[in-house]
Amino acid sequence: MFFGLLLIPLFSSLSFSKGVTLTNGIEYQSLRPCAQGCFGGTISMDTWDLANEIGCDPSPATEECICRPDLQAAADSYLTQCVYKKCSQNVLDTNSAVSIYDSYCTAAGFVRDNTAATTVSVQSGSPPTSTSGLLKSTLESQITPKSTPTPPNNNPTSVSTSESAPAGTSLASSKSSDKGNLGTGEMIGIIVAVVGVIATAIGVWFSYKAFNKKR
């Protein structure tokens, strides 16, 4: 009688502990082997790796532990990093694995504890932790190309049209005014020509005076 009373709590705990059937689902079986390996690998191994990584007893794992509300964030983080690494950084495989785990625990009646830590430290070479399993936007933001800065203009002779033309005038009028200005060489030529004409006139006048005196 005494031993029977001692065995009652043991049988009670066994009756309320439900084994994990996640790997029996069609969704799990549709995953690639690289993603299944992060759970446990095969149906016979069940969820050994997942349970072991979040601190649950893997032999056998129970829903009460692997779906415990305060451990779901850690499970999401582990699956995110494990599947991302083993499946060659494939975002679709990563999202699918985390979604299958979340859906299984929700269907089993375990509601996520929002007060639990939602992030963990990220190992070198691993993607940022995402407890929701939606990594696409995070990964795309990391590979967005940066805009190339425009090099400064070091050519002092290059000026804008608005700076070269006087205010209130068009570019055409600016060019026409430039054509109307005489260069230094042209002005010297005109002065020499004028001086030549004057010198010739003076020479003709002296010749005329000299000719009149001879007469």
Side-chain angles (χ1 to χ4, degrees), residues 29-44:
Q29 296 175 20
S30 67
L31 289 174
R32 291 200 298 167
C34 59
Q36 292 180 358
C38 293
F39 288 89
T42 61
I43 295 177
S44 60

Side-chain angles (χ1 to χ4, degrees), residues 150-161:
T150 304
N153 185 8
N154 295 324
N155 186 3
T157 61
S158 177
V159 294
S160 63
T161 304

Side-chain angles (χ1 to χ4, degrees), residues 6 35 44 58 62 64 71 97 103 128 166 210:
L6 293 177
S44 60
T62 62
E64 286 74 13
L71 293 180
S103 298

Side-chain angles (χ1 to χ4, degrees), residues 2-33:
F2 176 74
F3 288 103
L5 294 175
L6 293 177
L7 293 176
I8 290 176
L10 177 61
F11 285 110
S12 298
S13 62
L14 291 176
S15 62
F16 285 106
S17 297
K18 184 178 179 181
V20 180
T21 58
L22 184 150
T23 54
N24 296 332
I26 298 177
E27 295 81 4
Y28 172 83
Q29 296 175 20
S30 67
L31 289 174
R32 291 200 298 167

Side-chain angles (χ1 to χ4, degrees), residues 3 53 135 171 201:
F3 288 103
E53 286 293 332
L135 298 176
L171 181 61

Side-chain angles (χ1 to χ4, degrees), residues 24 35 42-43 48 61-63 66 74 81 83 86 88 106 110 123 141 146 159 163 168 180 190 196 198-199 201 215:
N24 296 332
T42 61
I43 295 177
W48 179 285
T62 62
E63 287 183 352
I66 70 164
Q81 298 186 47
V83 177
K86 288 188 175 182
S88 304
T106 300
F110 295 90
Q123 299 177 356
S141 66
K146 297 182 179 179
V159 294
E163 293 178 352
I190 293 174
I198 295 174
R215 291 180 61 183

